[in-house]
Short mmCIF file of all heavy atoms in Angstrom, two decimals:
data_model
loop_
_atom_site.label_atom_id
_atom_site.label_comp_id
_atom_site.label_asym_id
_atom_site.label_seq_id
_atom_site.Cartn_x
_atom_site.Cartn_y
_atom_site.Cartn_z
N ARG A 1042 60.45 187.89 158.66
CA ARG A 1042 59.02 187.59 158.45
C ARG A 1042 58.15 188.26 159.51
O ARG A 1042 57.04 188.69 159.22
CB ARG A 1042 58.78 186.08 158.50
CG ARG A 1042 59.52 185.29 157.44
CD ARG A 1042 59.08 183.84 157.42
NE ARG A 1042 59.30 183.15 158.68
CZ ARG A 1042 58.35 182.55 159.39
NH1 ARG A 1042 57.10 182.54 158.96
NH2 ARG A 1042 58.65 181.92 160.53
N PHE A 1043 58.63 188.34 160.73
CA PHE A 1043 57.87 188.90 161.85
C PHE A 1043 58.45 190.25 162.24
O PHE A 1043 59.66 190.46 162.20
CB PHE A 1043 57.91 187.99 163.07
CG PHE A 1043 57.17 186.69 162.94
CD1 PHE A 1043 56.68 186.23 161.73
CD2 PHE A 1043 56.95 185.91 164.08
CE1 PHE A 1043 56.00 185.04 161.62
CE2 PHE A 1043 56.26 184.71 164.00
CZ PHE A 1043 55.80 184.28 162.75
N THR A 1044 57.57 191.15 162.64
CA THR A 1044 57.98 192.46 163.13
C THR A 1044 57.26 192.75 164.44
O THR A 1044 56.04 192.59 164.52
CB THR A 1044 57.63 193.56 162.11
OG1 THR A 1044 58.26 193.26 160.86
CG2 THR A 1044 58.12 194.93 162.60
N ILE A 1045 58.00 193.19 165.44
CA ILE A 1045 57.40 193.56 166.72
C ILE A 1045 57.44 195.07 166.85
O ILE A 1045 58.40 195.72 166.43
CB ILE A 1045 58.13 192.86 167.89
CG1 ILE A 1045 57.38 193.09 169.21
CG2 ILE A 1045 59.58 193.31 167.99
CD1 ILE A 1045 57.92 192.26 170.37
N SER A 1046 56.38 195.63 167.41
CA SER A 1046 56.32 197.07 167.61
C SER A 1046 55.46 197.36 168.84
O SER A 1046 54.81 196.45 169.37
CB SER A 1046 55.71 197.75 166.38
OG SER A 1046 54.39 197.31 166.15
N ARG A 1047 55.51 198.62 169.29
CA ARG A 1047 54.65 198.98 170.42
C ARG A 1047 54.09 200.37 170.21
O ARG A 1047 54.71 201.22 169.59
CB ARG A 1047 55.37 198.87 171.77
CG ARG A 1047 56.10 200.17 172.21
CD ARG A 1047 57.50 200.17 171.82
NE ARG A 1047 58.26 201.27 172.36
CZ ARG A 1047 58.61 202.33 171.67
NH1 ARG A 1047 58.18 202.48 170.42
NH2 ARG A 1047 59.36 203.26 172.20
N ASP A 1048 52.89 200.56 170.75
CA ASP A 1048 52.23 201.86 170.74
C ASP A 1048 52.09 202.27 172.20
O ASP A 1048 51.23 201.75 172.91
CB ASP A 1048 50.87 201.75 170.06
CG ASP A 1048 50.17 203.09 169.92
OD1 ASP A 1048 50.40 203.98 170.77
OD2 ASP A 1048 49.38 203.23 168.98
N ALA A 1049 52.97 203.17 172.63
CA ALA A 1049 52.99 203.56 174.04
C ALA A 1049 51.68 204.22 174.46
O ALA A 1049 51.21 204.03 175.58
CB ALA A 1049 54.18 204.47 174.32
N ALA A 1050 51.08 204.98 173.57
CA ALA A 1050 49.84 205.67 173.91
C ALA A 1050 48.71 204.69 174.18
O ALA A 1050 47.82 204.95 175.00
CB ALA A 1050 49.46 206.62 172.78
N LYS A 1051 48.75 203.55 173.51
CA LYS A 1051 47.70 202.54 173.68
C LYS A 1051 48.13 201.43 174.62
O LYS A 1051 47.36 200.48 174.85
CB LYS A 1051 47.31 201.95 172.33
CG LYS A 1051 46.68 202.95 171.38
CD LYS A 1051 46.27 202.27 170.08
CE LYS A 1051 45.58 203.25 169.14
NZ LYS A 1051 45.18 202.62 167.87
N ASN A 1052 49.35 201.50 175.13
CA ASN A 1052 49.87 200.44 176.00
C ASN A 1052 49.73 199.06 175.35
O ASN A 1052 49.32 198.09 175.99
CB ASN A 1052 49.16 200.45 177.36
CG ASN A 1052 50.05 200.99 178.46
OD1 ASN A 1052 51.02 201.70 178.20
ND2 ASN A 1052 49.73 200.64 179.69
N THR A 1053 50.06 199.00 174.08
CA THR A 1053 49.86 197.78 173.31
C THR A 1053 51.12 197.43 172.53
O THR A 1053 51.78 198.31 171.98
CB THR A 1053 48.67 197.94 172.35
OG1 THR A 1053 47.49 198.23 173.11
CG2 THR A 1053 48.44 196.68 171.54
N VAL A 1054 51.42 196.15 172.51
CA VAL A 1054 52.53 195.60 171.73
C VAL A 1054 51.94 194.75 170.60
O VAL A 1054 50.96 194.04 170.81
CB VAL A 1054 53.46 194.76 172.61
CG1 VAL A 1054 54.57 194.14 171.78
CG2 VAL A 1054 54.05 195.61 173.72
N TYR A 1055 52.54 194.85 169.44
CA TYR A 1055 52.04 194.13 168.28
C TYR A 1055 53.09 193.16 167.75
O TYR A 1055 54.29 193.39 167.88
CB TYR A 1055 51.69 195.11 167.16
CG TYR A 1055 50.66 196.13 167.56
CD1 TYR A 1055 51.06 197.42 167.94
CD2 TYR A 1055 49.31 195.82 167.57
CE1 TYR A 1055 50.12 198.38 168.31
CE2 TYR A 1055 48.36 196.77 167.94
CZ TYR A 1055 48.77 198.04 168.31
OH TYR A 1055 47.85 198.97 168.69
N LEU A 1056 52.61 192.09 167.13
CA LEU A 1056 53.49 191.17 166.41
C LEU A 1056 52.88 190.96 165.03
O LEU A 1056 51.86 190.29 164.90
CB LEU A 1056 53.63 189.83 167.15
CG LEU A 1056 54.63 188.87 166.52
CD1 LEU A 1056 56.06 189.41 166.67
CD2 LEU A 1056 54.53 187.48 167.15
N GLN A 1057 53.49 191.57 164.04
CA GLN A 1057 53.06 191.40 162.66
C GLN A 1057 53.77 190.18 162.10
O GLN A 1057 54.99 190.12 162.08
CB GLN A 1057 53.41 192.64 161.83
CG GLN A 1057 53.05 192.51 160.37
CD GLN A 1057 51.56 192.44 160.12
OE1 GLN A 1057 50.79 193.19 160.73
NE2 GLN A 1057 51.14 191.53 159.25
N MET A 1058 52.98 189.21 161.65
CA MET A 1058 53.54 187.95 161.17
C MET A 1058 53.19 187.78 159.70
O MET A 1058 52.00 187.71 159.35
CB MET A 1058 52.98 186.78 161.98
CG MET A 1058 53.16 186.94 163.48
SD MET A 1058 52.64 185.50 164.42
CE MET A 1058 50.88 185.48 164.05
N ASN A 1059 54.21 187.73 158.86
CA ASN A 1059 54.03 187.57 157.42
C ASN A 1059 54.64 186.25 156.96
O ASN A 1059 55.44 185.64 157.68
CB ASN A 1059 54.67 188.73 156.67
CG ASN A 1059 54.07 190.07 157.04
OD1 ASN A 1059 52.87 190.17 157.33
ND2 ASN A 1059 54.88 191.11 157.02
N SER A 1060 54.27 185.83 155.76
CA SER A 1060 54.82 184.61 155.16
C SER A 1060 54.73 183.44 156.12
O SER A 1060 55.70 182.70 156.33
CB SER A 1060 56.28 184.84 154.73
OG SER A 1060 56.37 185.91 153.81
N LEU A 1061 53.58 183.27 156.70
CA LEU A 1061 53.40 182.23 157.72
C LEU A 1061 53.49 180.84 157.09
O LEU A 1061 53.09 180.63 155.94
CB LEU A 1061 52.07 182.41 158.41
CG LEU A 1061 52.02 183.58 159.41
CD1 LEU A 1061 50.59 183.98 159.73
CD2 LEU A 1061 52.76 183.21 160.68
N THR A 1062 54.03 179.91 157.85
CA THR A 1062 54.14 178.51 157.45
C THR A 1062 53.47 177.64 158.51
O THR A 1062 53.26 178.10 159.65
CB THR A 1062 55.60 178.10 157.30
OG1 THR A 1062 56.18 177.96 158.60
CG2 THR A 1062 56.41 179.12 156.50
N PRO A 1063 53.16 176.40 158.18
CA PRO A 1063 52.57 175.51 159.20
C PRO A 1063 53.43 175.36 160.45
O PRO A 1063 52.92 175.11 161.54
CB PRO A 1063 52.43 174.18 158.46
CG PRO A 1063 52.24 174.59 157.03
CD PRO A 1063 53.13 175.79 156.85
N GLU A 1064 54.74 175.56 160.30
CA GLU A 1064 55.64 175.47 161.45
C GLU A 1064 55.44 176.62 162.44
O GLU A 1064 55.95 176.57 163.56
CB GLU A 1064 57.09 175.44 161.00
CG GLU A 1064 57.54 174.14 160.33
CD GLU A 1064 56.88 173.91 158.98
OE1 GLU A 1064 56.69 174.90 158.24
OE2 GLU A 1064 56.57 172.75 158.65
N ASP A 1065 54.72 177.65 162.05
CA ASP A 1065 54.42 178.76 162.95
C ASP A 1065 53.18 178.49 163.80
O ASP A 1065 52.84 179.30 164.66
CB ASP A 1065 54.21 180.05 162.15
CG ASP A 1065 55.46 180.51 161.43
OD1 ASP A 1065 56.54 180.52 162.06
OD2 ASP A 1065 55.36 180.85 160.24
N THR A 1066 52.50 177.38 163.55
CA THR A 1066 51.32 177.03 164.33
C THR A 1066 51.69 176.82 165.79
O THR A 1066 52.58 176.02 166.11
CB THR A 1066 50.67 175.76 163.76
OG1 THR A 1066 50.17 176.04 162.45
CG2 THR A 1066 49.52 175.30 164.65
N ALA A 1067 51.02 177.56 166.67
CA ALA A 1067 51.32 177.49 168.10
C ALA A 1067 50.37 178.41 168.86
O ALA A 1067 49.64 179.20 168.24
CB ALA A 1067 52.76 177.93 168.37
N VAL A 1068 50.40 178.30 170.16
CA VAL A 1068 49.78 179.32 171.01
C VAL A 1068 50.84 180.39 171.25
O VAL A 1068 51.96 180.07 171.65
CB VAL A 1068 49.29 178.74 172.34
CG1 VAL A 1068 48.72 179.85 173.23
CG2 VAL A 1068 48.26 177.65 172.10
N TYR A 1069 50.48 181.63 171.01
CA TYR A 1069 51.42 182.74 171.15
C TYR A 1069 51.11 183.49 172.43
O TYR A 1069 49.96 183.86 172.69
CB TYR A 1069 51.32 183.67 169.94
CG TYR A 1069 52.01 183.12 168.73
CD1 TYR A 1069 51.50 182.02 168.04
CD2 TYR A 1069 53.22 183.67 168.28
CE1 TYR A 1069 52.15 181.49 166.94
CE2 TYR A 1069 53.87 183.15 167.17
CZ TYR A 1069 53.33 182.06 166.51
OH TYR A 1069 53.99 181.54 165.42
N TYR A 1070 52.16 183.73 173.21
CA TYR A 1070 52.03 184.38 174.51
C TYR A 1070 52.80 185.69 174.54
O TYR A 1070 53.93 185.78 174.04
CB TYR A 1070 52.60 183.49 175.62
CG TYR A 1070 51.88 182.18 175.80
CD1 TYR A 1070 52.27 181.05 175.12
CD2 TYR A 1070 50.79 182.09 176.68
CE1 TYR A 1070 51.62 179.85 175.28
CE2 TYR A 1070 50.13 180.89 176.85
CZ TYR A 1070 50.55 179.77 176.16
OH TYR A 1070 49.89 178.58 176.33
N CYS A 1071 52.19 186.67 175.15
CA CYS A 1071 52.84 187.94 175.43
C CYS A 1071 53.39 187.90 176.85
O CYS A 1071 52.77 187.30 177.74
CB CYS A 1071 51.81 189.06 175.28
SG CYS A 1071 52.39 190.71 175.68
N ALA A 1072 54.56 188.52 177.05
CA ALA A 1072 55.18 188.51 178.38
C ALA A 1072 55.86 189.85 178.65
O ALA A 1072 56.26 190.54 177.71
CB ALA A 1072 56.18 187.38 178.48
#
């Protein structure tokens, strides 16, 4: 359901979240 990727040129990491359910409700932290 989730895919993580990064764009080195933009120094950015992404988390694509699909088919979300209420159980995915949370504060999401990058580390």
Side-chain angles (χ1 to χ4, degrees):
R1042 299 188 300 123
F1043 291 11
T1044 303
I1045 188 171
S1046 62
R1047 89 266 188 257
D1048 185 331
K1051 296 182 178 180
N1052 253 21
T1053 300
V1054 177
Y1055 302 99
L1056 185 68
Q1057 177 66 44
M1058 306 186 296
N1059 299 327
S1060 302
L1061 286 162
T1062 74
E1064 288 69 37
D1065 295 313
T1066 295
V1068 177
Y1069 283 70
Y1070 297 90
C1071 177

